[in-house]
Amino acid sequence: MTTLKDLSHALGLSVTQVSRALNGHSDVSAATRERVVDAAKRLNYMPNVSARRLVSGRSGTVGLVFRNRSEVPPDTLFVETTCGLSEFFAEHDLQFMLHVGRLADDEIKVYRRLVDSRTLDGFVILNPAVDDRRIAFLREREVPFVVHGRAAPDSAHPYFDIDNEEVAHRLTRHLIERGHRRIAFINGLRSLTFVEARQRGYARALAEAGIVYDETLHVAVEMTESAGLVESVRLVAHTTERPTAVICGNTRIAKGVYHAVEATGLSIPEDVSVVAHDDLLFEFDSERFNPPLTVTASALSESWKPMATFLARAIDGGYPLAQMQEIGRTVFIERASVAAA
């Protein structure tokens, strides 16, 4: 196995120079760095992970943590997310680990154990909650992390997000422009920050049109097909107070709404118009709904590369916060699921 000493001898450089070139230190010229990296590839040099950890104090591993097994999402979306993140962390020479705590463990106890043992160099946070305890703990301990979403609109932490308030505002405004005034919103759980942002966008669009916000039409549920079905059956069961349109937090909920409308003998869009936000998931292709679904769309897969990059930068240090935050693009796609009221 080729060692640092072998590289040093082959290149006529000191071991320190070779090591600093391989680790991207700024005091090494670009030409020297390129020469060292090319030689390392040619001679099949593989870094000694244990030795590097002793020198740097880093594990070379980042992780996604769940308090216990019951919190791990049992779906293909979660598999796609973990695989996508792992692929892009590998580009930064970081291993990506899923850590699941014990059933009785407190959430912060799990994080504290990992931080104190220096098992992980950084953390990925999904589905941030309002006043998220994980974010507060990691900031207090000055441990690098990246969030899919924001703890608040002005969050001072690395993140990738979309403008969720504008997503709901755009969908609501489209329905209002088509004449709808009794508009239901089947949203996600209220504890999550993106759900709160979408509620603000929905309420703002109603207020701009002079429509009184009706709390009974804003529903908070798990974002699943079954929840969409149950809640939409309840909503459309009212013959006189039935909403003429439904906004869905994602395409899974929308699929449940489609099934419910059909089961109650109604039709889309003649009786109920439906719109949704689409994460562009393969198994819920909004264009293949019958009728095709009007959506705001942003590919969840576009978040994986920047999240990996931002966490790698946070671990390395020295990057301004603006280079570790991004609002992803969202597009509006009008299809056949909305009719004039």
Side-chain angles (χ1 to χ4, degrees):
M1 180 181 292
T2 301
T3 65
L4 274 178
K5 285 185 178 180
D6 296 329
L7 277 179
S8 171
H9 180 74
L11 292 164
L13 299 172
S14 70
V15 170
T16 299
Q17 284 177 301
V18 172
S19 176
R20 295 183 73 79
L22 289 172
N23 286 288
H25 287 274
S26 59
D27 60 347
V28 179
S29 70
T32 299
R33 186 181 301 114
E34 184 177 353
R35 182 174 162 227
V36 171
V37 170
D38 287 345
K41 291 178 179 177
R42 187 174 68 254
L43 297 174
N44 295 319
Y45 167 74
M46 294 295 292
N48 185 315
V49 175
S50 297
R52 185 169 64 180
R53 180 174 181 177
L54 286 172
V55 172
S56 67
R58 297 178 182 175
S59 66
T61 304
V62 297
L64 173 63
V65 177
F66 288 95
R67 181 174 57 183
N68 56 61
R69 188 168 55 188
S70 67
E71 292 189 345
V72 180
D75 54 30
T76 57
L77 170 59
F78 177 67
V79 174
E80 286 182 33
T81 299
T82 52
C83 288
L85 286 170
S86 184
E87 175 186 352
F88 288 109
F89 277 122
E91 292 187 359
H92 295 277
D93 293 324
L94 290 169
Q95 302 300 313
F96 181 60
M97 180 182 82
L98 172 65
H99 179 86
V100 181
R102 295 170 296 205
L103 189 62
D105 279 349
D106 173 74
E107 182 175 46
I108 300 306
K109 183 178 179 180
V110 177
Y111 279 87
R112 182 176 291 110
R113 186 166 57 242
L114 292 168
V115 170
D116 290 344
S117 65
R118 298 185 179 180
T119 302
L120 300 174
D121 295 331
F123 294 82
V124 173
I125 304 290
L126 303 180
N127 295 322
V130 178
D131 299 322
D132 197 292
R133 296 175 65 214
R134 300 167 297 175
I135 293 174
F137 172 75
L138 293 174
R139 292 185 70 169
E140 179 186 350
R141 294 293 297 269
E142 298 182 343
V143 176
F145 65 94
V146 66
V147 184
H148 189 274
R150 286 171 282 177
D154 57 349
S155 292
H157 61 71
Y159 65 75
F160 182 93
D161 199 6
I162 60 172
D163 189 342
N164 281 289
E165 181 171 336
E166 182 54 31
V167 160
H169 183 269
R170 182 70 183 87
L171 292 172
T172 310
R173 192 181 71 200
H174 176 68
L175 294 171
I176 292 170
E177 288 170 350
R178 299 301 302 275
H180 296 275
R181 296 188 65 81
R182 189 162 176 78
I183 303 168
F185 188 1
I186 305 179
N187 205 350
L189 297 176
R190 295 181 192 273
S191 60
L192 302 177
T193 56
F194 81 88
V195 171
E196 187 179 66
R198 290 182 182 181
Q199 183 177 8
R200 289 196 303 269
Y202 167 66
R204 178 161 60 90
L206 294 176
E208 289 169 353
I211 301 172
V212 176
Y213 177 86
D214 184 345
E215 183 64 39
T216 65
L217 292 179
H218 182 256
V219 184
V221 298
E222 291 281 355
M223 300 181 77
T224 63
E225 182 176 341
S226 59
L229 189 151
V230 170
E231 289 302 326
S232 52
V233 165
R234 182 183 64 79
L235 287 166
V236 303
H238 300 286
T239 55
T240 56
E241 294 296 318
R242 184 176 70 230
T244 61
V246 179
I247 303 167
C248 303
N250 65 8
T251 50
R252 295 178 175 193
I253 292 174
K255 179 62 74 173
V257 172
Y258 269 56
H259 289 319
V261 171
E262 181 181 6
T264 53
L266 301 174
S267 61
I268 300 171
E270 290 78 11
D271 299 302
V272 182
S273 292
V274 182
V275 298
H277 179 67
D278 187 358
D279 294 308
L280 301 180
L281 306 177
F282 176 76
E283 74 246 64
F284 291 91
D285 184 351
S286 58
E287 191 172 7
R288 295 182 180 275
F289 279 40
N290 184 24
L293 181 63
T294 293
V295 296
T296 51
S298 57
L300 185 64
S301 59
E302 290 184 0
S303 68
W304 302 332
K305 183 175 182 177
M307 285 180 69
T309 299
F310 297 162
L311 184 52
R313 288 175 178 175
I315 292 169
D316 288 341
Y319 289 88
L321 188 60
Q323 292 184 19
M324 296 184 288
Q325 297 180 332
E326 183 177 334
I327 302 295
R329 62 190 182 94
T330 303
V331 298
F332 176 75
I333 305 171
E334 183 174 3
R335 300 197 181 105
S337 63
V338 176

